Amino acid sequence: MSIKENYTITVLGCGVMGTAVVSAILNAEFSPYPSKIICCTSREESALNLKKKLNHEIIEVSYGSEANSKAAKKADIVILACKPYMYETVLSQAPINNGSLLISLLAGVTTKELQKYSVNVAKVMTNTPAQYGCGTAMVSFSDPEAEEKYGDLVMKLINPVGLAMKIPEKNMDAATALVGSGPAFCLLMMESLIDGGVRMGIPFAVAKDAAAKVMEGTAKMVLETGDHPAALKSKVCTPGGTTIGGLLKLEDAGVRGSIARAVEEAANISASFAKK
């Protein structure tokens, strides 16, 4: 690991995902810990809202191209969290030191493209549950040298989101679909469970909490047991019972294939970003 003890992180484009990662870092303990995190936005109102939301002694905020440029120059580590189509404009307005570690949260932008701005690049795909410490993150590096130099530190910074795993960059579009888009797919399924409960007479508030807890508990069961989801599913299916009846309705409607194809489509869209 090549980083000084009292290092500074600058977050360029600190929106939903940037805030989620910063929130996770603030709720974690590891060493070496950043001495300062500068959150950059384009507007004063956004900066003030961030300062209020994050509310931590190491947090500073910045807005506007001039101030953000100064913040980028101060950084030992830059987290790039803007919209993917904006990254070239953002990095031209707030150029970073070539020796800085650049951590990209951008879908569809390769480490090779970002090495124009820094030789050391880590690409991270995470999701919105990261702000609650129960997210998922996939991490890849621009080259073995960057991983050897900064790998341990990057994993320390990203692990607080919940679960961080290293993968080859060639799998990042699939990770964007599964990890980045996955919460939206799960929320659609949760919404359907809630609707079903309400349709059968359960009050909305009760159905919402019950559906959320069912999904949380089911996920924990998979993680704790290590069993294949199909094996766990079969244990719930009493012969001639309610569960197998409901599952057959879902199979008739092609739910399994639709969800898998949704991941495929999202991955293809992510890959298309790099071609534009």
Side-chain angles (χ1 to χ4, degrees):
M1 179 175 61
S2 179
I3 196 77
K4 63 184 182 182
E5 287 293 322
N6 297 315
Y7 61 96
T8 295
I9 298 174
T10 293
V11 186
L12 295 176
C14 197
V16 174
M17 293 316 308
T19 302
V21 171
V22 172
S23 296
I25 292 172
L26 294 177
N27 290 325
E29 294 182 6
F30 56 86
S31 179
Y33 199 76
S35 61
K36 185 186 300 182
I37 300 177
I38 308 173
C39 300
C40 300
T41 68
S42 59
R43 297 182 299 113
E44 180 179 13
E45 181 183 1
S46 300
L48 294 176
N49 287 338
L50 274 174
K51 184 72 173 177
K52 184 177 180 181
K53 180 177 181 178
L54 296 172
N55 190 28
H56 195 284
E57 60 183 5
I58 69 169
I59 291 293
E60 293 185 9
V61 295
S62 170
Y63 64 91
S65 57
E66 183 178 348
N68 291 346
S69 178
K70 292 179 180 178
K73 287 297 183 185
K74 294 177 183 177
D76 301 290
I77 299 172
V78 172
I79 297 177
L80 186 62
C82 60
K83 298 295 184 184
Y85 70 89
M86 295 177 61
Y87 83 92
E88 291 178 305
T89 300
V90 168
L91 290 175
S92 65
Q93 292 178 348
I96 68 176
N97 301 316
N98 192 45
S100 298
L101 169 62
L102 178 59
I103 300 177
S104 168
L105 306 184
L106 310 187
V109 181
T110 66
T111 59
K112 184 177 181 179
E113 290 173 293
L114 293 172
Q115 280 189 301
K116 293 187 295 183
Y117 305 97
S118 177
V119 293
N120 301 303
V121 182
K123 182 174 173 63
V124 175
M125 176 47 58
T126 187
N127 53 23
T128 50
Q131 61 192 307
Y132 305 105
C134 53
T136 310
M138 300 294 192
V139 183
S140 63
F141 294 87
S142 52
D143 50 53
E145 290 76 16
E147 181 174 359
E148 182 178 357
K149 193 174 182 181
Y150 290 109
D152 289 344
L153 179 60
V154 170
M155 297 309 286
K156 285 181 179 180
L157 288 168
I158 303 302
N159 262 321
V161 306
L163 173 67
M165 296 175 281
K166 293 181 185 179
I167 61 170
E169 187 172 5
K170 66 180 182 180
N171 296 136
M172 268 296 177
D173 291 318
T176 298
L178 180 61
V179 172
S181 302
F185 303 156
C186 289
L187 288 165
L188 180 62
M189 289 183 271
M190 187 188 300
E191 189 179 7
S192 300
L193 288 172
I194 295 167
D195 287 346
V198 172
R199 172 67 180 88
M200 299 312 295
I202 299 175
F204 174 82
V206 176
K208 177 172 71 69
D209 288 349
K213 199 64 179 177
V214 164
M215 295 194 79
E216 178 189 34
T218 303
K220 189 171 182 64
M221 187 164 58
V222 172
L223 292 172
E224 291 289 334
T225 64
D227 291 344
H228 194 288
L232 295 171
K233 181 186 69 177
S234 68
K235 294 177 181 179
V236 190
C237 294
T238 304
T242 60
T243 305
I244 189 63
L247 284 170
L248 287 174
K249 279 288 186 181
L250 293 173
E251 295 287 11
D252 288 345
V255 170
R256 179 200 300 263
S258 295
I259 295 170
R261 292 300 186 190
V263 174
E264 179 184 37
E265 178 67 10
N268 288 338
I269 292 171
S270 176
S272 74
F273 292 160
K275 300 174 183 176
K276 294 181 179 179

